[in-house]
Amino acid sequence: MVKCLSYVSESLIEVNDQLVQEFSDTFASQNFDFGINGFLIYSNSRFFQYIEGEAHRVDQLMKNIKADDRHEVKLEMHQFREGRRVDNWSMKYLKPSQLTEILKEDGLIDLMVMAAANPDMVVGWEKHCWRM
């Protein structure tokens, strides 16, 4: 089984597309070494990231992500599944419009994307979401 983790965070620094691409390139190199796959989206001062891999490696990565003072994690969810969704990306920077093309069958991802776009809704949805 593969652990899949999605989170939404709010940026605490000034960010532009070039900086997010640099983040993604750095993460891709690091993730490759640990067998982590995923993608990163940035929009309206919020990050959405999806990562997948062996559970202990995903858990360690999430600890590192939470320790990063450039952003604050607002919502996270995980699930286990057979096989990887994005096994050819160690970390890819996507535009928000590309997400539905990749994971349109996954209701969990839809919830996270809506939460990222509408942060006021996150509070009302917490009771319907599971947390780590």
Side-chain angles (χ1 to χ4, degrees):
M1 296 290 277
V2 174
K3 184 168 188 175
C4 308
L5 190 141
S6 303
Y7 75 86
V8 175
S9 67
E10 186 171 353
S11 179
L12 301 176
I13 63 170
E14 284 290 320
V15 177
N16 59 38
D17 278 345
Q18 180 181 349
L19 185 57
V20 177
Q21 184 63 59
E22 290 172 14
F23 290 162
S24 180
D25 293 344
T26 299
F27 302 156
S29 175
Q30 295 168 349
N31 289 351
F32 181 81
D33 293 339
F34 293 101
I36 298 285
N37 300 97
F39 59 84
L40 176 68
I41 295 174
Y42 179 78
S43 180
N44 299 323
S45 299
R46 289 182 182 73
F47 293 98
F48 171 81
Q49 188 168 9
Y50 170 84
I51 55 177
E52 60 186 18
E54 294 178 26
H56 72 280
R57 294 189 186 270
V58 170
D59 291 342
Q60 182 59 54
L61 179 56
M62 194 61 200
K63 286 180 188 175
N64 297 348
I65 288 168
K66 286 181 174 180
D68 187 334
D69 62 2
R70 295 173 291 188
H71 69 130
E72 181 180 356
V73 174
K74 299 292 189 177
L75 177 68
E76 70 181 80
M77 291 187 254
H78 76 273
Q79 63 184 9
F80 290 88
R81 61 176 280 128
E82 294 291 331
R84 295 178 186 245
R85 286 189 178 98
V86 292
D87 60 355
N88 55 336
W89 298 337
S90 51
M91 184 53 53
K92 183 165 179 85
Y93 176 36
L94 299 175
K95 301 295 183 191
S97 61
Q98 293 174 289
L99 183 62
T100 55
E101 296 169 23
I102 298 162
L103 299 173
K104 58 186 163 191
E105 83 285 355
D106 192 335
L108 173 67
I109 300 300
D110 292 341
L111 173 63
M112 294 293 290
V113 170
M114 285 190 277
N118 302 294
D120 295 337
M121 298 176 78
V122 172
V123 174
W125 286 356
E126 286 179 353
K127 63 185 176 189
H128 302 293
C129 304
W130 59 95
R131 292 189 177 270
M132 299 286 295

